[in-house]
Amino acid sequence: MSNPARQITLLLFALLVSACSKGASDAAVPAGAGVERSGDPRVVALRDAIEEGRVELARSLVDAATADLGVEAHLLRARLWMLEDEAIEWGRALEQARLAAPGDPRVWATAAELHAAAGNLETAEREVQDGIQRCGRTPALERARGVLYLVVPGGAQQGLAALERAVEQDPGLPFVDRPLGQALLLVGKEHVRSGDKLVALEHVRRALEHDPEDRDAREFLGDVLMMVGEWGEALAVFEALVAEGYDNYREPLAGYYRNAGIWAMTQKQRELTVRYCARARELGMADEHLGHCRNLLLDHAAELVSRGLEELGASKTEKAIATLEEALVYDRESLEAHRFLGQAYLAREDPERAAQEWQWVVDTARAEEIDLPEPVHIMLAQAQALTGDFSASRETLDAYLTFEPTGEFVQLTRDVLAKLPEEVPEEPRVEDDEDAATGDDG
């Protein structure tokens, strides 16, 4: 069999063995054809571990749980060996089960499912047919038929029907939730291709009831929700995936946020538009791909700068700082936001932060050959002087004269430079008592 087909069947088996367990009662329950399924809590715990793919835990449980289990002991060990990709071992365990109970339909069903996972589809089909001939159509064999249909192109509908029959016959049937979820997902995708988006949505929701952690189903749910206009729920689905560390969803989620932002814009929901567009950028979408979202973010940032300037004029320094910092979230390159933020920091008596903001303004304007309408370099030099760094202050003023010799503020710059001290005056050292007693002159 080809490698892609083997990957499909191995994936199917991984889905099959990670379904949720059914109950934890000690009482045995009918399993079809006169056999019973153990409800011993130890066995249930082992099934859970195998079904969840927790190999180490299953290994630690298998000896105690299967000590008096009978034929199911071999079948559970076979599933565990399959998880560990030990073909010889799971084949041996199946043969031991067949020798112990050739009339147990679970033997034939498990054999069919493991052979399907290994890519041996003809063998798997033969196991199902022989099992039905010997045991009749039991729930376990219906489950196996459903699994086989799922690996055949176009067999999703038949697979879903078989799996639903199996569950109807035995509501407590193990190893069925993941295959059933996969069948519902595949059928849902077929409905999308035929244009039945609402029917597809119903199917994928049912799929997640059987397998809530299936990433493919969750992604498909998000896609279908977008298709039917349920933006909020769809974005929440993808946000959850990103929050769980699946970074491959960041780029498509950014695109969804941009589209949702544009949709919100057409609905005149400005606040929602801003939030969606900003999240698209936060997720990594470049400004040139934001389209209309980019313009809206720039407009919103400009409004915040105006508000921050008003707050600064009203001596509401802390509010002004918060507003201007928010403006930079929406327009990181805003010269005005950085310029007034520096002024706000200086009003808060924080010349170092003021100098950082104004240094950015001066450097950016010079690099982009922008003529600033006010002497920000002089404001920067003054802030540097307030920190005691007169050398940096002098360098700032000299740089303006060097790089902008015909600038509007050349004479003013020379006047400030002429009044700037050459160096910071040193404060006289005060001797302490110990220095005076020892005669230490430092």
Side-chain angles (χ1 to χ4, degrees):
M1 177 155 186
S2 66
N3 287 337
R6 175 171 169 77
Q7 290 174 355
I8 292 173
T9 51
L10 284 173
L11 172 61
L12 184 60
F13 180 77
L15 294 169
L16 180 67
V17 299
S18 55
C20 300
S21 68
K22 310 292 189 298
S25 169
D26 285 317
V29 295
V35 299
E36 292 184 333
R37 180 171 60 248
S38 173
D40 187 314
R42 296 172 301 173
V43 180
V44 171
L46 175 59
R47 288 194 194 113
D48 283 344
I50 294 175
E51 290 166 349
E52 294 166 7
R54 301 166 67 185
V55 176
E56 293 297 330
L57 178 58
R59 280 205 209 103
S60 71
L61 295 171
V62 67
D63 290 336
T66 61
D68 302 313
L69 190 57
V71 66
E72 192 182 1
H74 300 302
L75 299 178
L76 291 176
R77 287 181 182 275
R79 290 183 182 275
L80 179 55
W81 285 122
M82 170 57 85
L83 285 176
E84 298 185 287
D85 200 22
E86 294 289 348
I88 294 176
E89 297 298 336
W90 66 253
R92 182 180 294 124
L94 284 177
E95 288 310 309
Q96 290 171 336
R98 201 184 306 277
L99 290 172
D104 191 322
R106 295 173 299 178
V107 175
W108 302 92
T110 302
E113 290 160 4
L114 299 194
H115 279 293
N120 307 321
L121 297 188
E122 291 183 4
T123 303
E125 176 65 26
R126 191 163 55 247
E127 293 284 357
V128 169
Q129 295 304 324
D130 290 349
I132 291 174
Q133 184 175 0
R134 181 180 290 264
C135 309
R137 288 185 177 275
T138 69
L141 285 164
E142 279 297 295
R143 180 191 65 206
R145 289 182 71 236
V147 168
L148 284 172
Y149 277 124
L150 295 185
V151 299
V152 176
Q157 292 277 4
Q158 292 172 292
L160 176 58
L163 291 166
E164 288 180 331
R165 281 193 300 271
V167 173
E168 183 180 355
Q169 295 166 13
D170 180 4
L173 184 67
F175 305 107
V176 73
D177 271 341
R178 286 281 177 91
L180 193 49
Q182 187 71 3
L184 286 162
L185 175 61
L186 292 173
V187 172
K189 290 182 177 181
E190 290 181 359
H191 282 295
V192 163
R193 286 192 288 271
S194 64
D196 299 325
K197 298 180 180 63
L198 291 177
V199 178
L201 182 59
E202 177 186 346
H203 277 74
V204 71
R205 287 196 191 279
R206 288 179 58 202
L208 286 167
E209 289 175 5
H210 291 281
D211 186 8
E213 301 305 316
D214 187 322
R215 275 204 295 131
D216 288 340
R218 293 166 68 191
E219 178 182 353
F220 184 61
L221 173 63
D223 289 339
V224 178
L225 285 167
M226 280 289 182
M227 294 176 193
V228 300
E230 295 292 341
W231 299 91
E233 187 181 354
L235 294 172
V237 168
F238 287 108
E239 284 284 13
L241 289 166
V242 170
E244 291 168 22
Y246 300 115
D247 288 339
N248 56 305
Y249 291 105
R250 293 180 67 88
E251 184 175 344
L253 179 57
Y256 280 142
Y257 266 112
R258 178 196 58 197
N259 296 342
I262 294 172
W263 171 84
M265 187 187 308
T266 65
Q267 303 301 307
K268 302 189 184 306
Q269 298 183 42
R270 184 174 179 78
E271 182 178 344
L272 195 61
T273 303
V274 169
R275 186 165 78 246
Y276 284 167
C277 290
R279 182 59 177 149
R281 176 199 273 163
E282 184 182 356
L283 286 163
M285 179 168 284
D287 285 350
E288 58 266 27
H289 296 145
L290 284 170
H292 292 300
C293 269
R294 169 64 174 155
N295 295 331
L296 183 129
L297 291 177
L298 292 177
D299 291 344
H300 186 63
E303 292 175 5
L304 288 170
V305 170
S306 297
R307 186 196 308 169
L309 185 56
E310 290 175 3
E311 291 166 345
L312 194 57
S315 299
K316 299 177 181 179
T317 304
E318 295 304 320
K319 288 190 69 174
I321 289 173
T323 300
L324 292 166
E325 287 180 342
E326 184 182 356
L328 288 173
V329 171
Y330 301 108
D331 183 5
R332 292 164 291 196
E333 307 299 317
S334 172
L335 289 168
E336 292 81 4
H338 283 287
R339 180 259 181 267
F340 294 124
L341 190 54
Q343 185 176 333
Y345 281 130
L346 194 64
R348 195 172 71 176
E349 299 183 356
D350 189 349
E352 289 186 3
R353 294 290 297 275
Q356 291 174 10
E357 296 298 329
W358 287 332
Q359 184 72 68
W360 186 92
V361 173
V362 169
D363 291 344
T364 301
R366 189 166 291 156
E368 297 181 6
E369 299 183 350
I370 297 173
D371 292 327
L372 296 172
E374 53 188 344
V376 179
H377 66 289
I378 293 179
M379 298 156 59
L380 169 60
Q382 291 171 337
Q384 291 167 328
L386 287 172
T387 68
D389 194 346
F390 286 87
S391 176
S393 180
R394 182 173 295 278
E395 288 177 4
T396 295
L397 297 171
D398 282 336
Y400 180 82
L401 296 176
T402 299
F403 293 109
E404 302 178 54
T406 60
E408 180 182 353
F409 306 107
V410 167
Q411 188 56 52
L412 181 58
T413 302
R414 288 175 177 155
D415 292 342
V416 174
L417 189 58
K419 297 176 182 178
L420 193 67
E422 290 292 334
E423 58 184 19
V424 183
E426 292 187 4
E427 295 184 2
R429 184 173 183 274
V430 179
E431 289 186 348
D432 57 27
D433 294 339
E434 184 177 347
D435 288 341
T438 58
D440 186 359
D441 60 2

